[in-house]
Amino acid sequence: LIVIMNKNRTTVIIGAGPAGLTAALELLRHTDIKPIVIEADDCVGGISRTVNYKGNRIDIGGHRFFSKSDWVMNWWKEILPPESSSDGQVEISYQNKKKTVSLAANPQQNADKVMLIRNRLSRIYYLRRFFDYPLKLSLRTLSNLGLVRVVRIGFSYIWASLFPRKPENSLEDFLINRFGRRLYLTFFKDYTEKVWGVPCQNISAEWGAQRIKGLNITKALVHAVSSLFKGKNKDVSQKGTNTSLIERFLYPKFGPGQMWEAVAEQVIELGGTIHFKHKVTAFTCDNGIIQSVRAECKESGQVLDLPCEHVISTMPVKDLINGLGKAVPPEISAIANELPYRDFITVGLLCSKMLANPQSNSSHANNMPPDNWIYIQENDVKVGRLQIFNNWSPDMVADPEKIWMGLEYFCNEGDPLWNLSDAELMSLAKSEMTRMGLIDPSDVEDSVVIRMPKAYPAYFGAYSRFGEIRAYLDTVANLFPVGRNGMHRYNNQDHSMLSAKLAAEAIASGSTDKTAIWEVNVDDEYHEEKEAKQ
């Protein structure tokens, strides 16, 4: 059965993650266009969803709600106001203007529909010890590393500063030039290769420019020293601070998915449509214009044929190109089908307590460390990162006396790690936490496995020819790729939202120029480290 929808002024949006839902709400707020959102899953949020397991919530990948963009920060605050004073009001700034937003009248509802203001702490676990991240020149750091390592790291950084690697082609070049070879080998190499599954010299330096930007060891140390005199930064905006160095961030009370569930509610209230469990399978094109989008229900097999004026796509680029079919030149299809991705597994462990560790800084009877997440640099385990969900929000945990943690594994869909059964993955997680001296396996009370395919667009292999794909996609006048997978770019949540905002603005104005969209998180306007213009 094929159902043909009415075109009217319709934009089909593929994906109900941050980019897709931002685009839908912006179109509804500022135009008479009715968005139709197609989502393959049964929930919104994409990788920014919250998974609820028996009242214990999992944030897949960890999402700090912080942005250098005032527009993004204010947009979030309008959807879920920050925890406020007792009068039930919150003040939001708009480019030197101020607006007071009253929370809903129901006190119980008010208490839930808020963003918490959280302190940030992330550390590195290496040599069975905790190191501050970003690194601080503290007695603990010096003691943990030892005098010989510290001296070698210092001379290595000086050498890299005086004789940087040129040209800077690989991620290894990028990291050594900013941190020195010794620090790169100590704290970056093993973890990064766990994440991507390939040597750092095979990864494009663009990944470092995307994720680390202007941060280097000097700036990290200057920030650490200045913090001693300034105290904690109580301003959530933290203007002028590199994102890797922020100390506070906003966070929805029930995890990132709460934000996107609230946005989806507004999209539907304003007249938009969201089709869940539908997969886009094909596009009908004529002279470089998409005429309609075909989507199939994964449960019933019913096919929707959606005529449209525009398409905003957050689907993986390789799937988008395949859906466009014979209209795509063969060489473009070949590149797209070789684009690499990195997949992701979270194993949730519910523990009654962790093992005592004098370095954990724990003030809890159950020895829970204070970190949001911990980077696992140890090379004798596969786990790459450990989240402590209690420290993102106390409401992520059903029983506050328990420790709810997520062990993050990076893999490729179909490889031996991905193909392990849930029981095998749970056993692996418990054994690795035990081996690292962090838990006693008898203290694990429950566990769950979450798999997330295509979590990270990768910057190696066929990615070197992505410019050819972009050039082709730009010829499809009414197609606007946005978001992480839509642009095959390791965007943060806020950058995905900005790309969606610009797509909505282009559609509203009748523009087919996508230059500004592709420049989000590349152009100086969106860089965390803004260089002075010449």
Side-chain angles (χ1 to χ4, degrees):
L1 178 64
I2 298 177
V3 179
I4 301 176
M5 311 294 285
N6 193 332
K7 182 174 181 177
N8 293 323
R9 293 209 68 198
T10 300
T11 293
V12 171
I13 299 174
I14 306 169
L21 291 176
T22 298
L25 190 54
E26 286 301 292
L27 287 173
L28 288 164
R29 283 176 168 179
H30 303 295
T31 74
D32 62 350
I33 295 170
K34 296 302 179 184
I36 299 175
V37 182
I38 307 298
E39 172 54 51
D41 218 321
D42 60 357
C43 62
V44 299
I47 198 173
S48 298
R49 74 188 64 181
T50 302
V51 177
N52 189 335
Y53 175 71
K54 300 179 182 178
N56 296 304
R57 292 172 167 83
I58 291 176
D59 177 350
I60 300 171
H63 291 84
R64 293 174 296 176
F65 281 70
F66 169 81
S67 178
K68 290 300 183 71
S69 165
D70 290 335
W71 180 85
V72 170
M73 292 293 284
N74 288 326
W75 200 94
W76 282 332
K77 291 174 184 177
E78 282 192 85
I79 304 297
L80 292 178
E83 53 186 345
S84 58
S85 59
S86 58
D87 63 3
Q89 294 186 326
V90 61
E91 197 172 70
I92 301 174
S93 297
Y94 291 91
Q95 297 178 346
N96 299 324
K97 296 181 180 179
K98 290 184 178 178
K99 174 182 177 182
T100 300
V101 177
S102 295
L103 303 181
N106 186 333
Q108 285 298 117
Q109 195 175 38
N110 293 350
D112 288 342
K113 293 189 173 181
V114 296
M115 298 262 266
L116 308 180
I117 299 174
R118 308 302 291 165
N119 291 323
R120 172 269 179 99
L121 177 65
S122 55
R123 289 183 293 173
I124 296 169
Y125 194 63
Y126 176 61
L127 301 174
R128 303 311 198 244
R129 299 171 180 175
F130 287 97
F131 292 83
D132 292 316
Y133 180 80
L135 290 172
K136 297 178 181 177
L137 195 59
S138 65
L139 289 176
R140 172 170 289 181
T141 301
L142 298 177
S143 174
N144 284 348
L145 286 173
L147 180 61
V148 173
R149 274 200 187 93
V150 171
V151 171
R152 287 177 176 173
I153 287 170
F155 278 114
S156 176
Y157 176 63
I158 292 170
W159 180 269
S161 300
L162 294 175
F163 305 102
R165 289 188 172 194
K166 294 182 180 180
E168 192 178 85
N169 294 322
S170 71
L171 182 59
E172 181 175 89
D173 298 334
F174 181 95
L175 291 170
I176 288 176
N177 283 348
R178 283 152 186 79
F179 300 98
R181 182 173 181 80
R182 286 287 178 179
L183 199 59
Y184 158 71
L185 292 174
T186 303
F187 288 125
F188 292 95
K189 183 177 185 295
D190 286 347
Y191 174 77
T192 304
E193 292 181 358
K194 277 184 190 178
V195 173
W196 297 108
V198 298
C200 288
Q201 59 262 36
N202 293 350
I203 303 173
S204 170
E206 285 188 44
W207 185 88
Q210 182 85 7
R211 302 297 292 184
I212 301 173
K213 303 182 189 299
L215 182 65
N216 59 36
I217 191 170
T218 300
K219 292 179 182 178
L221 292 175
V222 167
H223 174 79
V225 172
S226 63
S227 296
L228 295 175
F229 297 97
K230 294 180 181 178
K232 283 284 184 183
N233 188 347
K234 296 185 178 181
D235 179 10
V236 175
S237 67
Q238 298 165 96
K239 293 294 186 181
T241 303
N242 187 288
T243 294
S244 297
L245 301 174
I246 66 165
E247 296 171 346
R248 291 158 69 83
F249 58 90
L250 296 173
Y251 195 74
K253 184 174 182 177
F254 296 116
Q258 185 184 12
M259 171 65 69
W260 302 111
E261 290 159 9
V263 174
E265 288 175 5
Q266 290 198 19
V267 167
I268 293 170
E269 287 171 3
L270 292 173
T273 303
I274 303 176
H275 292 283
F276 291 104
K277 296 185 179 180
H278 278 71
K279 182 179 180 181
V280 171
T281 57
F283 302 86
T284 302
C285 299
D286 184 22
N287 294 322
I289 301 290
I290 296 177
Q291 302 294 327
S292 66
V293 177
R294 180 161 290 193
E296 181 177 334
C297 178
K298 296 165 74 174
E299 292 184 335
S300 68
Q302 183 184 65
V303 174
L304 297 179
D305 195 355
L306 304 167
C308 56
E309 287 188 330
H310 301 92
V311 174
I312 296 175
S313 174
T314 74
M315 68 192 296
V317 171
K318 65 192 314 179
D319 296 339
L320 172 64
I321 292 293
N322 289 334
L324 291 168
K326 295 180 179 179
V328 181
E331 64 273 18
I332 299 299
S333 293
I335 298 168
N337 280 293
E338 293 299 320
L339 283 175
Y341 295 86
R342 195 67 166 154
D343 307 298
F344 185 85
I345 298 170
T346 294
V347 181
L349 294 183
L350 184 68
C351 296
S352 58
K353 63 178 182 296
M354 295 178 70
L355 295 180
N357 186 320
Q359 288 201 335
S360 72
N361 299 336
S362 178
S363 59
H364 296 266
N366 58 16
N367 300 316
M368 182 179 72
D371 308 73
N372 305 115
W373 63 54
I374 300 167
Y375 297 95
I376 307 298
Q377 183 68 11
E378 307 288 23
N379 58 18
D380 62 337
V381 293
K382 296 181 183 296
V383 63
R385 197 169 63 178
L386 173 67
Q387 288 199 70
I388 309 293
F389 296 117
N390 309 58
N391 296 327
W392 288 91
S393 166
D395 294 281
M396 297 286 278
V397 189
D399 181 349
E401 299 302 315
K402 309 296 184 185
I403 303 174
W404 179 230
M405 65 184 78
L407 282 77
E408 299 178 349
Y409 291 90
F410 309 96
C411 53
N412 292 327
E413 191 172 359
D415 72 11
L417 185 58
W418 180 270
N419 287 337
L420 290 178
S421 68
D422 286 2
E424 288 171 323
L425 284 165
M426 294 172 191
S427 177
L428 174 67
K430 285 191 285 187
S431 66
E432 291 198 335
M433 288 291 287
T434 302
R435 186 182 310 152
M436 290 187 292
L438 295 173
I439 68 167
D440 184 316
S442 64
D443 293 323
V444 177
E445 298 184 358
D446 203 353
S447 54
V448 68
V449 173
I450 307 294
R451 288 174 170 84
M452 182 62 64
K454 293 184 174 63
Y456 301 134
Y459 285 60
F460 49 83
Y463 176 77
S464 63
R465 299 184 64 187
F466 186 77
E468 296 172 55
I469 294 177
R470 172 186 165 178
Y472 170 74
L473 292 175
D474 283 349
T475 68
V476 184
N478 64 337
L479 171 64
F480 296 83
V482 299
R484 177 178 284 196
N485 274 326
M487 303 170 75
H488 200 87
R489 182 176 292 166
Y490 197 168
N491 281 332
N492 281 331
Q493 188 175 211
D494 60 332
H495 297 125
S496 293
M497 293 172 62
L498 286 164
S499 67
K501 170 182 182 282
L502 292 171
E505 289 176 350
I507 290 170
S509 67
S511 173
T512 60
D513 184 4
K514 291 101 175 181
T515 304
I517 298 172
W518 289 110
E519 288 179 348
V520 170
N521 203 19
V522 173
D523 186 79
D524 283 349
E525 177 67 18
Y526 303 102
H527 263 248
E528 295 164 5
E529 179 66 18
K530 296 183 179 180
E531 298 177 359
K533 294 183 178 180
Q534 300 297 322

Coordinates of all heavy atoms in Angstrom, one line a residue, residues 63-66 116-124 131-136 211 215 220 223 227 232-236 238 241-251 361 370-375 385 388 391-392 528:
H63 N 26.3 14.5 27.0 CA 26.0 15.7 26.3 C 25.9 16.9 27.2 O 24.9 17.1 28.0 CB 24.6 15.6 25.6 CG 24.7 14.6 24.4 ND1 24.5 13.2 24.6 CD2 24.8 14.8 23.1 CE1 24.6 12.7 23.4 NE2 24.8 13.6 22.5
R64 N 27.0 17.7 27.2 CA 27.0 18.9 28.0 C 26.2 20.0 27.2 O 26.5 20.2 26.0 CB 28.4 19.4 28.3 CG 29.2 18.5 29.2 CD 30.6 18.9 29.3 NE 31.3 18.8 28.0 CZ 32.5 19.2 27.7 NH1 33.3 19.7 28.7 NH2 33.1 19.0 26.6
F65 N 25.2 20.6 27.8 CA 24.5 21.7 27.1 C 25.2 23.0 27.4 O 25.0 23.7 28.3 CB 23.1 21.7 27.6 CG 22.2 20.6 27.0 CD1 22.4 19.3 27.4 CD2 21.2 20.9 26.1 CE1 21.6 18.3 26.8 CE2 20.4 19.9 25.5 CZ 20.7 18.6 25.9
F66 N 26.2 23.2 26.5 CA 27.0 24.4 26.5 C 27.3 24.8 25.1 O 27.6 23.9 24.2 CB 28.3 24.2 27.3 CG 29.3 25.3 27.1 CD1 29.1 26.5 27.9 CD2 30.3 25.3 26.2 CE1 30.0 27.6 27.7 CE2 31.2 26.3 26.0 CZ 31.0 27.5 26.8
L116 N 19.4 21.7 34.8 CA 20.2 21.8 36.0 C 21.5 22.5 35.6 O 22.0 22.4 34.5 CB 20.5 20.5 36.6 CG 19.3 19.6 36.9 CD1 19.8 18.3 37.5 CD2 18.3 20.2 37.8
I117 N 22.1 23.3 36.6 CA 23.4 23.8 36.4 C 24.4 22.9 37.0 O 24.4 22.7 38.3 CB 23.5 25.3 36.9 CG1 22.4 26.2 36.2 CG2 24.9 25.8 36.8 CD1 22.3 27.6 36.8
R118 N 25.3 22.3 36.3 CA 26.2 21.3 36.7 C 27.6 21.7 36.7 O 28.0 22.4 35.8 CB 26.0 20.0 35.9 CG 24.6 19.5 35.8 CD 23.9 19.3 37.1 NE 24.5 18.1 37.8 CZ 24.4 17.8 39.1 NH1 23.7 18.6 39.9 NH2 24.9 16.7 39.6
N119 N 28.4 21.3 37.7 CA 29.8 21.4 37.6 C 30.4 20.3 36.8 O 30.0 19.2 36.9 CB 30.4 21.4 39.0 CG 30.0 22.6 39.8 OD1 30.0 23.7 39.3 ND2 29.8 22.4 41.1
R120 N 31.4 20.7 36.0 CA 32.0 19.7 35.1 C 33.3 19.2 35.7 O 34.1 19.9 36.3 CB 32.4 20.4 33.8 CG 33.3 19.6 32.8 CD 34.7 19.8 33.0 NE 35.6 19.0 32.2 CZ 36.1 19.5 31.1 NH1 35.9 20.7 30.7 NH2 36.9 18.7 30.4
L121 N 33.5 17.9 35.7 CA 34.7 17.2 36.1 C 34.9 16.0 35.2 O 34.1 15.1 35.1 CB 34.7 16.8 37.5 CG 36.0 16.0 38.0 CD1 37.2 17.0 37.9 CD2 35.9 15.5 39.4
S122 N 36.0 16.0 34.5 CA 36.4 14.8 33.7 C 37.9 14.5 33.9 O 38.7 15.5 34.0 CB 36.1 14.9 32.2 OG 36.7 16.1 31.7
R123 N 38.2 13.3 34.1 CA 39.6 12.9 34.4 C 40.1 11.8 33.5 O 39.3 11.1 32.9 CB 39.8 12.6 35.9 CG 39.7 13.8 36.8 CD 40.0 13.5 38.2 NE 39.0 12.6 38.8 CZ 39.0 12.0 40.0 NH1 40.1 12.3 40.8 NH2 38.1 11.2 40.4
I124 N 41.4 11.5 33.5 CA 42.0 10.4 32.8 C 42.4 9.4 33.8 O 42.9 9.7 34.9 CB 43.2 10.9 32.0 CG1 42.8 11.9 31.0 CG2 44.0 9.7 31.4 CD1 44.0 12.6 30.3
F131 N 44.2 11.4 36.7 CA 44.8 12.6 36.3 C 43.7 13.6 35.9 O 42.8 13.3 35.2 CB 45.8 12.4 35.1 CG 47.0 11.5 35.4 CD1 46.9 10.1 35.4 CD2 48.2 12.1 35.7 CE1 48.0 9.4 35.7 CE2 49.3 11.3 35.9 CZ 49.2 9.9 35.9
D132 N 43.9 14.9 36.3 CA 43.0 15.9 35.9 C 43.0 16.0 34.3 O 44.1 15.9 33.7 CB 43.4 17.2 36.5 CG 43.2 17.3 38.0 OD1 42.1 16.8 38.4 OD2 44.1 17.8 38.7
Y133 N 41.8 16.3 33.8 CA 41.7 16.6 32.3 C 40.8 17.8 32.2 O 39.7 17.8 32.7 CB 41.2 15.5 31.5 CG 41.1 15.8 30.0 CD1 42.3 15.8 29.2 CD2 39.9 16.3 29.5 CE1 42.2 16.2 27.9 CE2 39.9 16.7 28.2 CZ 41.0 16.6 27.4 OH 40.9 17.0 26.1
P134 N 41.3 18.9 31.6 CA 42.6 19.1 31.0 C 43.7 19.0 32.2 O 43.4 19.3 33.3 CB 42.6 20.5 30.4 CG 41.1 20.7 30.2 CD 40.4 20.0 31.3
L135 N 44.9 18.7 31.7 CA 46.0 18.5 32.7 C 46.3 19.8 33.5 O 46.2 20.9 33.0 CB 47.3 18.1 32.0 CG 47.2 16.7 31.3 CD1 48.5 16.4 30.5 CD2 47.1 15.6 32.4
K136 N 46.6 19.6 34.8 CA 46.9 20.7 35.7 C 48.3 20.4 36.2 O 48.7 19.3 36.5 CB 45.9 20.8 36.8 CG 44.5 21.1 36.4 CD 43.6 21.2 37.5 CE 42.1 21.5 37.1 NZ 41.2 21.6 38.2
R211 N 37.6 19.0 16.8 CA 37.2 18.7 18.2 C 38.1 19.4 19.2 O 37.7 19.6 20.4 CB 37.3 17.2 18.4 CG 36.5 16.4 17.5 CD 35.0 16.7 17.7 NE 34.5 16.2 19.0 CZ 33.3 16.3 19.4 NH1 32.4 16.8 18.6 NH2 32.9 15.8 20.6
L215 N 43.1 24.5 21.5 CA 43.6 24.1 22.8 C 45.0 23.5 22.6 O 45.3 22.8 21.7 CB 42.8 23.0 23.5 CG 43.2 22.5 24.8 CD1 43.1 23.7 25.8 CD2 42.3 21.4 25.3
A220 N 46.0 25.3 28.4 CA 45.5 24.5 29.5 C 46.1 24.9 30.8 O 45.4 25.1 31.9 CB 45.6 23.0 29.2
H223 N 45.1 28.4 31.9 CA 43.7 28.4 32.4 C 43.7 27.8 33.9 O 43.0 28.4 34.7 CB 42.8 27.5 31.5 CG 41.4 27.3 32.1 ND1 40.4 28.2 32.0 CD2 40.9 26.2 32.8 CE1 39.3 27.8 32.6 NE2 39.6 26.6 33.1
S227 N 42.6 30.0 37.1 CA 41.5 29.6 37.9 C 41.8 29.6 39.4 O 40.9 29.8 40.2 CB 41.1 28.1 37.5 OG 40.6 28.1 36.2
K232 N 36.0 29.4 41.0 CA 35.2 28.7 40.1 C 34.4 29.8 39.2 O 33.9 30.8 39.7 CB 34.2 27.8 40.8 CG 34.8 26.5 41.3 CD 34.9 25.6 40.1 CE 35.5 24.2 40.6 NZ 35.7 23.3 39.5
N233 N 34.3 29.5 37.9 CA 33.5 30.3 37.0 C 32.0 30.0 37.2 O 31.6 29.0 36.8 CB 34.0 30.0 35.6 CG 33.4 31.0 34.6 OD1 32.4 31.8 34.9 ND2 33.9 31.0 33.4
K234 N 31.3 30.9 37.8 CA 29.9 30.7 38.1 C 29.0 31.1 36.9 O 27.8 30.9 36.9 CB 29.5 31.4 39.4 CG 30.2 30.9 40.6 CD 29.7 31.5 41.9 CE 30.4 30.9 43.1 NZ 29.9 31.5 44.3
D235 N 29.6 31.8 35.9 CA 28.8 32.2 34.7 C 28.8 31.0 33.7 O 29.8 30.6 33.2 CB 29.5 33.4 34.1 CG 28.8 33.9 32.8 OD1 27.6 33.4 32.6 OD2 29.3 34.7 32.1
V236 N 27.6 30.5 33.5 CA 27.5 29.3 32.6 C 27.9 29.7 31.2 O 28.4 28.8 30.4 CB 26.0 28.8 32.6 CG1 25.8 27.7 31.6 CG2 25.6 28.3 34.0
Q238 N 30.5 31.5 30.2 CA 31.9 31.3 30.2 C 32.6 31.8 28.9 O 33.3 31.1 28.2 CB 32.3 29.8 30.4 CG 31.8 29.3 31.8 CD 31.8 27.8 31.9 OE1 32.7 27.2 32.4 NE2 30.7 27.2 31.4
T241 N 36.3 31.1 27.1 CA 36.9 29.9 27.6 C 36.7 28.8 26.5 O 35.6 28.6 26.0 CB 36.2 29.4 28.9 OG1 36.3 30.4 29.9 CG2 36.8 28.1 29.4
N242 N 37.8 28.1 26.2 CA 37.8 27.0 25.3 C 36.8 26.0 25.8 O 36.7 25.7 27.0 CB 39.2 26.4 25.1 CG 39.2 25.4 24.0 OD1 38.7 24.3 24.2 ND2 39.8 25.7 22.9
T243 N 36.0 25.4 24.9 CA 35.0 24.5 25.3 C 35.6 23.3 26.1 O 34.9 22.8 27.1 CB 34.2 23.9 24.1 OG1 33.4 25.0 23.5 CG2 33.2 22.8 24.5
S244 N 36.8 22.9 25.8 CA 37.4 21.8 26.5 C 37.7 22.2 27.9 O 38.1 21.3 28.8 CB 38.7 21.3 25.8 OG 38.4 20.8 24.5
L245 N 37.7 23.5 28.3 CA 38.1 23.9 29.6 C 36.9 24.4 30.4 O 37.1 24.9 31.6 CB 39.1 25.1 29.4 CG 40.4 24.7 28.7 CD1 41.2 26.0 28.5 CD2 41.2 23.7 29.4
I246 N 35.7 24.3 30.0 CA 34.6 24.9 30.7 C 34.4 24.2 32.0 O 34.8 23.0 32.2 CB 33.3 24.9 29.9 CG1 32.8 23.4 29.6 CG2 33.4 25.7 28.6 CD1 31.4 23.3 29.2
E247 N 33.9 24.9 33.0 CA 33.7 24.3 34.4 C 32.3 24.1 34.8 O 32.0 23.4 35.7 CB 34.4 25.3 35.4 CG 35.9 25.4 35.2 CD 36.5 26.5 36.0 OE1 35.7 27.3 36.6 OE2 37.7 26.6 36.1
R248 N 31.4 24.7 34.0 CA 29.9 24.5 34.3 C 29.2 24.3 33.0 O 29.6 24.9 32.0 CB 29.4 25.7 35.1 CG 30.0 25.8 36.5 CD 29.9 27.3 37.0 NE 28.5 27.7 37.3 CZ 27.8 27.4 38.4 NH1 28.3 26.7 39.3 NH2 26.6 27.9 38.5
F249 N 28.0 23.7 33.1 CA 27.2 23.5 31.9 C 25.8 23.2 32.4 O 25.5 22.9 33.5 CB 27.7 22.3 31.0 CG 27.7 21.0 31.7 CD1 26.6 20.1 31.7 CD2 28.9 20.6 32.4 CE1 26.7 18.9 32.3 CE2 28.9 19.4 33.1 CZ 27.8 18.5 33.0
L250 N 24.8 23.4 31.4 CA 23.4 23.1 31.7 C 23.2 21.7 31.3 O 23.8 21.1 30.5 CB 22.5 24.0 30.8 CG 22.6 25.5 31.1 CD1 21.8 26.3 30.1 CD2 22.1 25.8 32.6
Y251 N 22.1 21.1 32.0 CA 21.8 19.7 31.7 C 20.4 19.4 32.1 O 19.9 19.7 33.2 CB 22.7 18.8 32.5 CG 22.7 17.3 32.1 CD1 23.4 16.9 30.9 CD2 22.0 16.3 32.8 CE1 23.4 15.6 30.4 CE2 22.0 15.0 32.3 CZ 22.7 14.7 31.2 OH 22.7 13.4 30.7
N361 N 38.8 11.2 45.1 CA 38.2 12.4 45.7 C 36.7 12.2 46.1 O 36.0 13.1 46.1 CB 38.2 13.6 44.7 CG 39.6 14.0 44.3 OD1 40.6 13.7 45.1 ND2 39.8 14.6 43.2
P370 N 33.6 11.7 41.7 CA 32.8 12.9 41.4 C 32.7 13.2 39.9 O 32.1 14.2 39.5 CB 33.5 14.0 42.1 CG 35.0 13.6 42.1 CD 35.0 12.1 42.2
D371 N 33.3 12.4 39.0 CA 33.4 12.7 37.6 C 32.1 12.6 36.8 O 31.3 11.7 37.1 CB 34.5 11.8 37.0 CG 35.8 11.8 37.7 OD1 35.8 11.2 38.8 OD2 36.8 12.4 37.2
N372 N 32.0 13.4 35.8 CA 30.9 13.2 34.8 C 31.4 12.0 33.9 O 30.6 11.1 33.7 CB 30.7 14.4 33.9 CG 30.4 15.7 34.7 OD1 31.2 16.6 34.7 ND2 29.3 15.7 35.4
W373 N 32.6 12.1 33.5 CA 33.1 10.9 32.8 C 34.6 10.8 33.0 O 35.3 11.8 33.4 CB 32.8 10.9 31.3 CG 33.4 12.1 30.5 CD1 34.7 12.5 30.4 CD2 32.6 12.9 29.6 NE1 34.8 13.5 29.5 CE2 33.5 13.8 29.0 CE3 31.3 13.0 29.2 CZ2 33.2 14.7 28.0 CZ3 30.9 13.9 28.2 CH2 31.8 14.8 27.7
I374 N 35.1 9.6 32.8 CA 36.6 9.3 33.0 C 37.1 8.7 31.7 O 36.5 7.7 31.2 CB 36.7 8.3 34.2 CG1 36.2 9.0 35.5 CG2 38.2 8.0 34.3 CD1 36.0 8.0 36.6
Y375 N 38.1 9.3 31.2 CA 38.8 8.7 30.0 C 39.7 7.6 30.4 O 40.6 7.7 31.3 CB 39.6 9.8 29.3 CG 38.8 10.9 28.7 CD1 38.7 12.1 29.4 CD2 38.2 10.8 27.5 CE1 37.9 13.2 28.9 CE2 37.4 11.9 27.0 CZ 37.3 13.0 27.7 OH 36.6 14.1 27.2
R385 N 35.8 4.9 27.7 CA 35.4 6.0 28.6 C 34.3 5.4 29.6 O 33.6 4.5 29.3 CB 34.8 7.1 27.8 CG 34.7 8.5 28.5 CD 34.4 9.6 27.6 NE 33.1 9.5 27.0 CZ 32.6 10.4 26.1 NH1 33.2 11.4 25.8 NH2 31.4 10.1 25.6
I388 N 29.6 8.4 34.8 CA 28.9 8.3 36.1 C 27.7 9.1 36.0 O 27.7 10.3 36.2 CB 29.8 8.7 37.3 CG1 31.2 8.1 37.3 CG2 29.1 8.4 38.6 CD1 31.2 6.6 37.5
N391 N 26.3 11.9 38.4 CA 27.0 13.2 38.4 C 26.5 14.1 37.3 O 26.9 15.3 37.3 CB 28.5 13.0 38.4 CG 29.0 12.3 39.7 OD1 28.4 12.5 40.8 ND2 30.1 11.5 39.5
W392 N 25.8 13.5 36.3 CA 25.2 14.4 35.3 C 23.9 15.0 35.9 O 23.7 16.2 35.8 CB 24.9 13.6 34.1 CG 26.1 13.2 33.3 CD1 26.8 12.0 33.4 CD2 26.7 13.9 32.2 NE1 27.9 12.0 32.5 CE2 27.8 13.2 31.8 CE3 26.5 15.2 31.6 CZ2 28.7 13.6 30.7 CZ3 27.3 15.6 30.6 CH2 28.4 14.9 30.2
E528 N 35.6 27.7 18.5 CA 35.7 27.9 19.9 C 36.9 28.8 20.2 O 36.9 29.6 21.1 CB 36.0 26.6 20.6 CG 34.7 25.7 20.5 CD 35.1 24.2 20.8 OE1 36.2 24.0 21.2 OE2 34.2 23.4 20.6

